[in-house]
Amino acid sequence: MSVKIRMKRMGRKNRAFFRICATDTRAPRDGRVIEELGTYDPWVPETDARAVLNGERINYWLGVGAQPSHKCDVLIKKYGKDGTHLDAQAAAIARLGDRRSKSIAAAVAAAAAVPPPKPPEPPAAEPEAQTETVMEAAETPEGEASPVESTEAGAGESDAGSETPS
């Protein structure tokens, strides 16, 4: 079995992200891998922070005869175990961490500046119901009985006639 170290494309459309993997040469590009050895994200703003590799495992696979692809060979020379850009990579990752911590601190400060929402007031349904009955009583003329009183009086008369002595 012949082994290659190459990139496996991940991510979504127009937003690629790559895993650097040891794969069988007969396997498709995005297919089954033997081992994942690192990542490469071209969307990271700091150029030297884009590749993160496991140098010990890469050296193992190179030692047993794995052949890197052209792009992986360049990344291994720069960011592998004995890479030429390891100091720049560490500085770039630190800058990204600082930038992220500053943006998080700014977001927390902005969230603290926003006043909390006021609690909702409970509905005052009971006092409104009392004022409606007072208004109905005020609208009814004194000589006429209110509709509530007339139905009560009519109900009382019908009950009196329906009683049977036992």
Side-chain angles (χ1 to χ4, degrees):
M1 173 170 71
S2 179
V3 177
K4 279 191 87 81
I5 297 175
R6 62 184 179 197
M7 293 184 172
K8 177 179 180 178
R9 190 180 195 278
M10 306 290 285
R12 63 172 200 241
K13 184 178 177 182
N14 297 324
R15 180 63 173 90
F17 173 83
F18 299 93
R19 290 185 182 163
I20 298 167
C21 304
T23 61
D24 183 9
T25 55
R26 297 170 292 184
R29 177 193 73 180
D30 298 336
R32 188 170 153 251
V33 300
I34 299 170
E35 183 179 2
E36 292 178 359
L37 305 171
T39 60
Y40 175 73
D41 187 359
W43 288 84
V44 172
E46 293 283 339
T47 305
D48 287 324
R50 292 179 180 173
V52 177
L53 304 176
N54 184 346
E56 293 176 7
R57 295 305 297 164
I58 289 175
N59 285 343
Y60 165 78
W61 283 107
L62 291 175
V64 295
Q67 296 296 314
S69 68
H70 177 70
K71 181 70 175 183
C72 287
D73 192 28
V74 170
L75 292 175
I76 290 169
K77 286 179 183 174
K78 286 183 178 181
Y79 308 112
K81 188 163 177 113
D82 299 322
T84 58
H85 288 72
L86 291 178
D87 295 332
Q89 182 184 28
I93 291 173
R95 282 193 302 271
L96 280 177
D98 291 342
R99 182 184 300 171
R100 175 170 276 165
S101 64
K102 287 179 184 176
S103 65
I104 290 172
V108 168
V114 175
K118 294 181 180 179
E121 295 181 13
E126 293 179 15
E128 291 177 8
Q130 291 174 356
T131 56
E132 288 178 11
T133 56
V134 170
M135 292 175 70
E136 287 177 4
E139 290 176 1
T140 308
E142 292 180 20
E144 298 178 8
S146 68
V148 175
E149 292 174 3
S150 63
T151 57
E152 290 175 1
E157 292 173 2
S158 63
D159 288 341
S162 64
E163 290 184 21
T164 56
S166 347

